[in-house]
Amino acid sequence: MRLQERNPDLNSNFAFLVVDGMSLSEDALTATISPALREMPLFGGSAGDGTDFRRALVALNGKVAVSAAVLTLVRSRYRTQVFSLDHLIPSEEQMVVTEADPERRIVKSINAEPAAREYARIVGKDPDQLDRFTFASHPVVVRIGAAHHVRAIQQVNDAGELVFFSAIDEGMVLTVASPQNMVDHLHNKMADLSDQDKPAHILGCDCILRRIEAEQRQMTRDLSNVMASYNVTGFSTYGEQIGPLHVNHTMSGVAIYAAED
């Protein structure tokens, strides 16, 4: 890569992607960009507008745009480590997407039943009471290779369908996941990143669903204290990018260490 050729003495590198979270393009974008970066690890986040889900803006050098993305390539003499974490444990409860509109990330039916009603039945909730707190507390995951990745639900539309934050398709098997204690989990993961040296700084993209869950469980202050103790700054996002994947309900980021690589 030209960046590497210009800076042969800089051994650490990463790519940071910010993309319009309402564009529905993150999956295709990361799948295209990541292989082209070769060994350079990619992470990022989807820009949003709180819980309004109407319009997301991306800016670069004073220019503001919609349906846009900004990719930043970084090389450094200091050691860096890109990471992604989530605090969810898959259960044995599964469901199959039997009708969907992949382009709009809409699931119309699950197990051949209306999607929202069937999801509510499986997680033991009133279908008329589904809200962002329910989705944050009862996320669903899909198995990709040896790992599970969250396919978070954004909202129920007027037709009783489920609108997702990331790619969804017919035939996909979704597994209900249970959350671990988010504060303990985050502290342990931050400690893992500090195993050799404590990072001088961590830049993170933290899913809005984690924030919603933290507010519901009254964990916001404790989580903020953990992040502050590990010098974490960053963004609340509609979804996160890690390598070729667009995921949800995660924190993705990069730890930057004081020691030179």
Side-chain angles (χ1 to χ4, degrees):
M1 294 175 65
R2 191 170 298 176
L3 182 63
Q4 184 175 7
E5 294 171 355
R6 289 205 308 262
N7 303 278
D9 57 326
L10 305 181
N11 297 318
S12 290
N13 59 73
F14 63 89
F16 176 46
L17 178 66
V18 177
V19 58
D20 180 342
M22 299 298 294
S23 67
L24 307 183
S25 302
E26 301 102 306
D27 302 277
L29 191 60
T30 54
T32 301
I33 291 174
S34 185
L37 295 174
R38 291 182 284 184
E39 290 81 19
M40 180 176 280
L42 169 71
F43 84 98
S46 301
D49 63 344
T51 56
D52 291 336
F53 305 120
R54 289 198 299 265
R55 187 172 184 239
L57 303 175
V58 176
L60 176 66
N61 297 332
K63 295 182 178 180
V64 181
V66 296
S67 296
V70 176
L71 178 67
T72 304
L73 307 181
V74 178
R75 288 187 66 84
S76 174
R77 67 174 53 89
Y78 297 102
R79 184 166 67 92
T80 61
Q81 182 176 340
V82 169
F83 67 90
S84 180
L85 61 87
D86 72 72
H87 63 297
L88 305 173
I89 301 175
S91 71
E92 298 298 319
E93 192 71 59
Q94 295 184 328
M95 60 189 86
V96 179
V97 177
T98 46
E99 186 179 1
D101 181 346
E103 290 187 2
R104 294 191 295 156
R105 296 177 178 169
I106 292 175
V107 170
K108 297 183 177 183
S109 69
I110 292 172
N111 299 338
E113 297 290 342
R117 191 174 70 194
E118 179 67 358
Y119 167 80
R121 182 191 69 79
I122 290 171
V123 300
K125 298 293 181 180
D126 183 336
D128 295 325
Q129 301 297 319
L130 295 179
D131 57 19
R132 61 181 185 268
F133 299 113
T134 306
F135 304 142
S137 300
H138 302 277
V140 294
V141 301
V142 60
R143 188 178 183 88
I144 301 177
H148 284 86
H149 299 279
V150 180
R151 288 293 182 263
I153 302 168
Q154 181 189 117
Q155 60 184 321
V156 179
N157 65 18
D158 293 338
E161 303 162 338
L162 296 175
V163 183
F164 279 70
F165 274 110
S166 52
I168 205 78
D169 206 348
E170 291 180 7
M172 186 174 284
V173 178
L174 303 175
T175 301
V176 179
S178 301
Q180 302 177 62
N181 182 286
M182 198 189 306
V183 177
D184 293 342
H185 182 269
L186 181 62
H187 177 77
N188 291 337
K189 292 300 182 180
M190 293 294 103
D192 289 344
L193 289 172
S194 306
D195 185 40
Q196 298 180 18
D197 298 295
K198 187 174 182 179
H201 186 77
I202 295 176
L203 175 65
C205 296
D206 196 37
C207 187
I208 189 173
L209 294 174
R210 286 170 56 88
R211 191 185 76 189
I212 291 171
E213 181 183 342
E215 292 172 350
Q216 182 186 28
R217 299 181 186 277
Q218 299 183 340
M219 293 180 171
T220 304
R221 176 170 294 183
D222 290 338
L223 284 169
S224 295
N225 290 339
V226 173
M227 292 186 190
S229 68
Y230 285 95
N231 299 318
V232 179
T233 58
F235 309 91
S236 180
T237 49
Y238 273 7
E240 298 71 52
Q241 285 65 254
I242 186 69
L245 298 177
H246 171 61
V247 293
N248 305 118
H249 221 125
T250 70
M251 175 189 284
S252 298
V254 60
I256 304 171
Y257 298 85
E260 294 190 7
D261 199 349

